[in-house]
Amino acid sequence: MYANARNRLDTTQNQKFFIGQVAKITGSSVPTVRYYDEIGLLSPAEITPGGHRMYTAEEIWRLKLILTLRYLNFGIDEIKRMLAGDIPVDMAIEWQIEALDIQMRTLASMKSILEQTKQNKGGNDSLSYMHELIESISSDALEREKFILEKMFSSVFPEQFPVEWREIFLLGVNVSSLLEGKLSAAQTAALDELEEMFNDPQIVREMKHDVISFLEVVHLPKISVEMWSARMLTNHKQLLKAAEQQATPDSPVVQENIQEYVVMFADVDELPVSHSFFRRFAERMLASQSENLERFRRICSILYPSLQSYMKTNELFYQALQWKLQQLDKE
């Protein structure tokens, strides 16, 4: 359908349209088209001396694609990266399918609660019954969460990996701070997804292999978990600030952050970090970026909203590692 529409627009390639005409052609609205321009998602072909935005068939086609992706619930950042070619379309589709799976589980859970409440026929007590039902489900979910995390830690980490480091290495934060409060329906659905992952022997073997190969490269810090966690948090905040300021992977602030991060995994008796250690560390980190690990991170960002900022810095971190490796290759 859109291919035919684009072909029809191509016949008027030299024609230019006002923003109101574009909104009408695409079934959108003027504020929406203007908003996409303001955030850099859809720029007009030109702006007249009078300040009018003018669009050609190419911009109209791009807008149709954007509207299609928005209809499919893709986020603005994802659409930007897809159109720029930063995210392969098949990868973005896979992410969206996972998100929809979780949404479907969420809706199914909510529907089940409402149906049980209706069947209870409690009259004026229906709201109380609904509240008690949700409290019970949430309590069960928290118990399941503890069980799944314990299973995850015991199955993924080898015996030689210190117990006190397991939580922070796998999730990046202290898990004990996450096991509080009531889980939402979406978090409960994400928990189901996480349980499925760690019931899959192939995924468990893959993640365990990554941990073992990681241990072959790094030297676990000779400081307390608490002090190391504080350094990790500081490092993360610095990188998040850099990401929010649109810093590039090769910028001094990002590269300094990467160097400080690598130092935390090196032998403190052998500082500064050698190029050979940095190379082995970076190659190991980059090699571990499997589809299942990315899926694990996305699920955890839903289950633990506090991890969402880590997801934002993750891409910049790995791009910076890749850039540094390229520079070492040139030396």
Side-chain angles (χ1 to χ4, degrees), residues 285-286 288-289 297 314-322:
M285 292 291 289
L286 291 168
S288 69
Q289 298 312 292
R297 287 175 177 153
N314 194 57
E315 182 178 3
L316 180 58
F317 172 82
Y318 285 104
Q319 288 177 345
L321 276 183
Q322 185 66 59

Side-chain angles (χ1 to χ4, degrees), residues 252-314:
V253 63
V254 173
Q255 283 300 314
E256 181 180 354
N257 182 279
I258 296 301
Q259 191 69 23
E260 291 175 355
Y261 181 87
V262 176
V263 166
M264 290 190 290
F265 291 90
D267 190 330
V268 294
D269 296 329
E270 298 179 3
L271 298 179
V273 174
S274 66
H275 284 178
S276 61
F277 177 82
F278 186 97
R279 179 184 296 281
R280 286 186 295 120
F281 177 86
E283 289 176 346
R284 173 85 286 280
M285 292 291 289
L286 291 168
S288 69
Q289 298 312 292
S290 65
E291 291 183 6
N292 283 324
L293 184 55
E294 284 298 316
R295 179 188 173 196
F296 170 74
R297 287 175 177 153
R298 291 194 297 274
I299 293 173
C300 284
S301 70
I302 297 173
L303 186 56
Y304 309 116
S306 62
L307 291 179
Q308 291 177 4
S309 62
Y310 285 88
M311 296 291 289
K312 291 181 180 179
T313 61
N314 194 57

Side-chain angles (χ1 to χ4, degrees), residues 187-198:
Q187 288 174 305
T188 302
L191 189 62
D192 292 337
E193 292 284 331
L194 193 62
E195 185 173 24
E196 281 188 7
M197 283 196 73
F198 287 93

Side-chain angles (χ1 to χ4, degrees), residues 8-18 21 25 45 54-60:
R8 289 197 297 272
L9 285 170
D10 285 342
T11 63
T12 59
Q13 184 68 42
N14 296 325
Q15 185 176 352
K16 294 179 181 178
F17 303 85
F18 288 103
Q21 294 173 301
I25 291 171
M54 303 300 296
Y55 299 82
T56 66
E58 190 60 34
E59 287 78 49
I60 293 175

